Amino acid sequence: MGVAVRLIPCLDVDAGRVVKGVNFENLRDAGDPVELAAAYGAAGADEVTFLDVTASSGNRETTYDVVRRTAEQVFVPLTVGGGVRAPEDVDRLLRAGADKVGVNTAAIARPELISEIAARFGNQVLVLSVDARRVRDGVSTPSGFEVTTHGGRRGTGIDAVEWARRGAELGAGEILLNSMDADGTTDGFDLDMLGQVREVVGVPLIASGGAGTVQHFIDAAKAGADAVLAASVFHFRTLSIQEVKDAMRASGIEVR
C-alpha cells in the first residue's frame, strides 16, 4: 500500500462548542473544541476534523476564532467543514489556520465550486464530503447509493459513487465518504460503498460513519480507505487512538 493509514477524530462544533457527548477525563470544559483537539493530537491522532454544524452564518466569527486557537495549540493537520459556500470561505479558514477545508452541500448545488477552490488554493486543501445512503423510496442509482443533504434527511437521487468520481475529477484532493445509514450505529463502516468508490477514485479516501470496534477500522482499511474517521468511539472512550493503531499494525496495516 505504501502510504500509512491515517486516524482522524471528528468533532462536531456548534457556535464554538463541541456537541455530541464527550467524556474525556480531566478536561476543564468538555465542550471546548481546542482542548479536545489538543488532547487528540497528544493521543496520536494523525489529523483532527472540525465539522461546523452551526445553522446560522452569524456564528462564523466564532468558528474562525476556534480554528485560530486550535491552530496555535494543535500540531496535526486540521480540516474544517460545514457552511463553506464560496472560495472566500476557504480563504478565511486557511488564513485562520485550517490545513484543509471540507465542502459538501454547496458543491452539490454548484459543482464548479470544486474546480474554483482547487484552482485557487490547490487540490490538497479540498476535501469533498459525501453524505451517502442506500437508495430508498423507489429511487434507483447505478451503484445503489445516493447523495443526501440536510444531515442525511434529504435524498438527492444523485449516484454517490459517480459524484465521488466526478468530485475527484473536478479537483477534490480527498473524498470523505460518510455513510448516513451507518452513522452513529457503531455497527461498522459501509464496506460495499467504500469498495465501489475506491474503484473509481485515485485520490485519498476517508471512511466515515459506523466505527464501533477496532476490527471495523481494520476492515475499512482493507476495503481501500486511506484514512478512517470516527467520533463517538473516541469521545466516549470506547476505544483509544493508540489501541486502534496497535490493532491495525498487528493486522499488517501500515499506520503512522
Side-chain angles (χ1 to χ4, degrees):
M1 220 168 93
V3 180
V5 175
R6 290 167 289 144
L7 221 53
I8 308 174
C10 179
L11 300 172
D12 288 349
V13 180
D14 186 1
R17 318 287 297 157
V18 174
V19 292
K20 250 189 195 172
V22 172
N23 59 359
F24 256 113
E25 288 150 35
N26 307 322
L27 278 186
R28 290 187 300 281
D29 170 10
D32 182 51
V34 183
E35 278 195 38
L36 268 170
Y40 280 131
D46 298 302
E47 297 184 14
V48 173
T49 291
F50 280 168
L51 190 56
D52 181 11
V53 296
T54 305
S56 78
S57 53
N59 281 308
R60 296 303 282 174
E61 278 314 316
T62 308
T63 301
Y64 297 123
D65 177 57
V66 166
V67 172
R68 270 190 290 274
R69 290 190 295 122
T70 304
E72 283 164 14
Q73 293 186 37
V74 181
F75 305 105
V76 296
L78 174 63
T79 300
V80 184
V84 173
R85 295 182 180 87
E88 290 66 43
D89 297 326
V90 176
D91 188 50
R92 293 191 66 186
L93 285 167
L94 294 175
R95 285 174 191 274
D99 297 281
K100 295 187 254 188
V101 176
V103 295
N104 188 334
T105 312
I108 297 167
R110 204 172 65 82
E112 311 83 76
L113 178 63
I114 298 172
S115 323
E116 290 166 11
I117 293 170
R120 184 161 158 191
F121 306 103
N123 300 36
Q124 76 285 349
V125 308
L126 179 55
V127 179
L128 177 64
S129 186
V130 179
D131 290 340
R133 69 178 183 199
R134 288 180 186 276
V135 292
R136 53 177 83 152
D137 306 330
V139 175
S140 121
T141 65
S143 69
F145 295 97
E146 70 170 325
V147 176
T148 67
T149 60
H150 300 79
R153 292 188 298 278
R154 195 172 296 180
T156 61
I158 297 167
D159 187 283
V161 176
E162 169 56 24
W163 173 236
R165 186 199 64 74
R166 189 173 172 212
E169 198 175 70
L170 286 168
E174 292 188 79
I175 304 293
L176 169 56
L177 185 63
N178 188 28
S179 165
M180 302 314 288
D181 296 318
D183 189 51
T185 63
T186 66
D187 290 338
F189 296 94
D190 191 321
L191 303 178
D192 175 14
M193 184 165 74
L194 199 58
Q196 287 197 52
V197 172
R198 176 76 289 167
E199 281 177 23
V200 299
V201 304
V203 299
L205 180 57
I206 306 165
S208 166
T213 67
V214 290
Q215 189 61 45
H216 293 155
F217 289 85
I218 293 166
D219 293 344
K222 290 188 170 168
D226 299 281
V228 188
L229 179 142
S232 307
V233 287
F234 294 142
H235 299 342
F236 291 123
R237 305 192 72 132
T238 314
L239 300 172
S240 73
I241 287 164
Q242 198 54 55
E243 191 183 345
V244 174
K245 284 193 171 183
D246 289 346
M248 290 172 87
R249 205 176 278 119
S251 73
I253 295 161
E254 192 185 333
V255 291
R256 295 184 181 179

